[in-house]
Amino acid sequence: MRGVGVGFVLLSLSQLAHFIQRGGVYLPSWLARLGGLVLVLSLAVLLVRAYERRHRIAEGDLPTEARALVLTSAERIPSGYSLEVELLTSEVRGHHLVFYTRGLPSVGLGDTLELSRLRPIHFEGEERWRTSRLSRGISGSVFGLVEGSRPLKGWGRLLTRPRLVGRLLQQRLSERLGRLLPEGQATHLSRAVALGYMPRGRESRELRESFVSSGVAHILAVSGFHLGVVAALLLSLLGLVRWMDARPRLRALVLLVGVWGFTLISGWAVPTVRAALMLSLYLAGALLGRPARLPNVLALSALVQLVDNPFLVNQPSFTLSYAALLSIYLLYRPLVGCVGELYNPLVRFLWRGLCLALSAQALVLPLCLYYWGSSALSFVWASLPMSLFVGVLIPLVWLLLGLSALPLPLQPLTGLVDGLSEVMLEVSRFLGDLPYTHLQVGLTGVQTSALWLLLLFSAWVLRRYYSLWGRNLAYYSY
């Protein structure tokens, strides 16, 4: 609270200066900026501490017996099973825990478990584990026994848990898709791309490793690109309804409902929430007659997500998502314009796709080297074809799910979806096996920060002077 008080004092003094300027007293303008900075940083620290207190549970407060709500599917581990649960016992109600047990009955999402002999588990590197758990809203890890379970009856309990509702819908749609398509990696790929769901197991692990090697692992995680495909599909369908043209507010509402519904069903991933927030802010600005600029929308969406969960800064998905979009904003136009006007449509399309891939990776590469110590350089030629495949696969999968409720022959459509997924798998394997396409460099935190700031400054310079270079190129083209 001292920082908040100092910030308010500095801001008050700067405002008081406006009233006493005529008396010959002068206070510099940087005083207001300093006060605002101190105030913002102090409020950020208070927010982080409040979030940590809200989600932290002391060992002495953990009961030995409790009721818990199942939030995720059980994962088989060498010592038994693990899953995420929400405690329902009054004194610790609402805390989320990772629960480990040796034996587990058949349970599903939303079921209630009777737990006993609960005791906390401590891992090596506890501070890193605690930060990682807090970024997902998890209070800690416990071991215990399951004395009994009650299946989910009705959806009344889930009305206050929209994320669990989304997981249930995701699981049921995934099961329906699994019944329509043959079992294998192609089906896992269709689930991951269209629903954001990838079951645990050997095939899923091999699929993920294949896409990591080819530099397009982001295809498997539902992100802003997937949401953009869904939004484009919805806009195309709304464009077929002529009377929607005269009702822009209704069209925006339908689009937002569809976008947020897909965000919920696809697992409420950080990049998808970011994209949905940005689209909502952009549409709100357009309807109010105040067109929004990308930097403002990007900053406001990040602020909203960090207010909800300050520990998201520790998640790679958060930093990579915002770094990629900022990198595209700064570098895409300078890269596209550096060769002048391209009149061949195919060459222009390929060049823009290459520029998009390069611009997105500029500020992402140091972060990948910091988090994982490696990066696949094949993203340069893999991003464009894979993005085209995904842009076709998502509408096909959702069309298949929609038509599956009708008594129609679906063999041609299922064959098309399965064939397209197999092609994506073969392309990923081929690109992942190419030599000299993997960069293995581990960066420390200081090295990553220095390199990232250097790249950011260079990208800003390119963006800043792009218009001048564009005029020079146009002059010399004559």
Side-chain angles (χ1 to χ4, degrees), residues 206-423:
E206 294 175 354
L207 175 64
R208 189 178 293 106
E209 291 174 354
S210 173
F211 275 72
V212 168
S213 299
S214 59
V216 287
H218 60 279
I219 295 295
L220 299 178
V222 174
S223 61
F225 171 72
H226 301 72
L227 192 70
V229 173
V230 173
L233 179 62
L234 288 174
L235 283 175
S236 301
L237 295 176
L238 292 174
L240 301 176
V241 184
R242 295 300 180 186
W243 57 271
M244 275 284 190
D245 296 338
R247 296 171 175 83
R249 287 183 172 82
L250 180 60
R251 182 172 56 185
L253 178 61
V254 174
L255 179 61
L256 288 179
V257 169
V259 163
W260 282 104
F262 177 77
T263 302
L264 187 65
I265 293 175
S266 59
W268 205 262
V270 172
T272 319
V273 174
R274 186 264 307 159
L277 276 172
M278 292 184 63
L279 180 60
S280 302
L281 294 171
Y282 174 79
L283 289 177
L287 292 176
L288 294 174
R290 299 286 300 274
R293 297 181 66 250
L294 181 60
N296 298 337
V297 174
L298 191 66
L300 185 55
S301 62
L303 177 63
V304 171
Q305 287 190 275
L306 290 176
V307 167
D308 177 65
N309 182 356
F311 284 88
L312 282 179
V313 293
N314 298 299
Q315 281 197 16
S317 58
F318 179 85
T319 52
L320 292 175
S321 176
Y322 282 95
L325 203 58
L326 179 62
S327 185
I328 292 174
Y329 170 75
L330 293 174
L331 291 175
Y332 175 71
R333 289 181 61 189
L335 289 178
V336 168
C338 69
V339 297
E341 183 67 25
L342 298 175
Y343 297 99
N344 188 298
L346 178 59
V347 175
R348 183 168 61 248
F349 173 76
L350 293 176
W351 174 245
R352 289 180 177 178
L354 177 61
C355 291
L356 184 64
L358 290 173
S359 61
Q361 289 291 328
L363 296 181
V364 169
L365 181 61
L367 298 176
C368 291
L369 297 179
Y370 171 72
Y371 286 123
W372 299 290
S374 64
S375 179
L377 302 180
S378 53
F379 71 86
V380 176
W381 49 81
S383 297
L384 182 59
M386 284 299 186
S387 299
L388 294 176
F389 286 142
V390 171
V392 176
L393 184 60
I394 291 178
L396 288 178
V397 171
W398 280 97
L399 179 62
L400 178 61
L401 290 173
L403 294 180
S404 64
L406 303 175
L408 296 174
L410 300 177
Q411 288 79 9
L413 187 55
T414 56
L416 183 59
V417 170
D418 188 61
L420 184 59
S421 301
E422 290 289 352
V423 171

Side-chain angles (χ1 to χ4, degrees), residues 459-478:
W460 177 81
V461 171
L462 285 174
R463 175 76 180 189
R464 178 68 178 81
Y465 293 100
Y466 163 70
S467 58
L468 175 61
W469 294 345
R471 287 195 297 270
N472 291 338
L473 286 173
Y475 174 77
Y476 288 114
S477 64
Y478 289 105

Side-chain angles (χ1 to χ4, degrees), residues 53-68:
R53 285 195 301 269
R54 174 186 171 189
H55 290 84
R56 183 177 56 194
I57 180 172
E59 294 186 15
D61 297 333
L62 183 68
T64 57
E65 298 181 355
R67 288 183 301 113

Side-chain angles (χ1 to χ4, degrees), residues 56-254:
R56 183 177 56 194
I57 180 172
E59 294 186 15
D61 297 333
L62 183 68
T64 57
E65 298 181 355
R67 288 183 301 113
L69 184 70
V70 178
L71 300 178
T72 62
S73 301
E75 179 183 3
R76 181 74 181 183
I77 58 176
S79 58
Y81 299 88
S82 71
L83 67 160
E84 291 182 19
V85 298
E86 177 186 342
L87 296 179
L88 302 177
T89 306
S90 57
E91 56 268 23
V92 288
R93 179 183 298 273
H95 284 282
H96 293 190
L97 300 171
V98 179
F99 175 68
Y100 296 89
T101 185
R102 291 193 179 92
L104 187 69
S106 178
V107 296
L109 295 178
D111 293 353
T112 302
L113 301 179
E114 298 291 339
L115 309 180
S116 65
R117 302 184 184 179
L118 295 177
R119 67 173 187 272
I121 300 178
H122 299 286
F123 296 95
E124 183 179 355
E126 182 65 22
E127 183 63 25
R128 180 178 62 85
W129 277 97
R130 184 180 66 85
T131 304
S132 175
R133 289 193 303 258
L134 280 173
S135 67
R136 294 183 290 146
I138 297 176
S139 302
S141 303
V142 298
F143 178 85
L145 303 178
V146 179
E147 301 295 341
S149 63
R150 294 199 304 272
L152 175 66
K153 295 181 179 179
W155 289 49
R157 173 177 287 178
L158 305 181
L159 293 179
T160 58
R161 299 173 176 86
R163 295 188 185 182
L164 184 55
V165 174
R167 289 175 181 173
L168 279 169
L169 293 174
Q170 181 190 55
Q171 185 182 65
R172 295 184 181 183
L173 289 173
S174 176
E175 291 173 353
R176 174 178 291 187
L177 187 62
R179 291 192 295 267
L180 296 172
L181 298 176
E183 185 63 29
Q185 287 191 356
T187 302
H188 291 335
L189 177 59
S190 300
R191 287 170 170 170
V193 168
L195 299 172
Y197 179 80
M198 184 179 291
R200 297 178 176 92
R202 180 180 57 83
E203 289 187 343
S204 298
R205 185 167 56 253
E206 294 175 354
L207 175 64
R208 189 178 293 106
E209 291 174 354
S210 173
F211 275 72
V212 168
S213 299
S214 59
V216 287
H218 60 279
I219 295 295
L220 299 178
V222 174
S223 61
F225 171 72
H226 301 72
L227 192 70
V229 173
V230 173
L233 179 62
L234 288 174
L235 283 175
S236 301
L237 295 176
L238 292 174
L240 301 176
V241 184
R242 295 300 180 186
W243 57 271
M244 275 284 190
D245 296 338
R247 296 171 175 83
R249 287 183 172 82
L250 180 60
R251 182 172 56 185
L253 178 61
V254 174

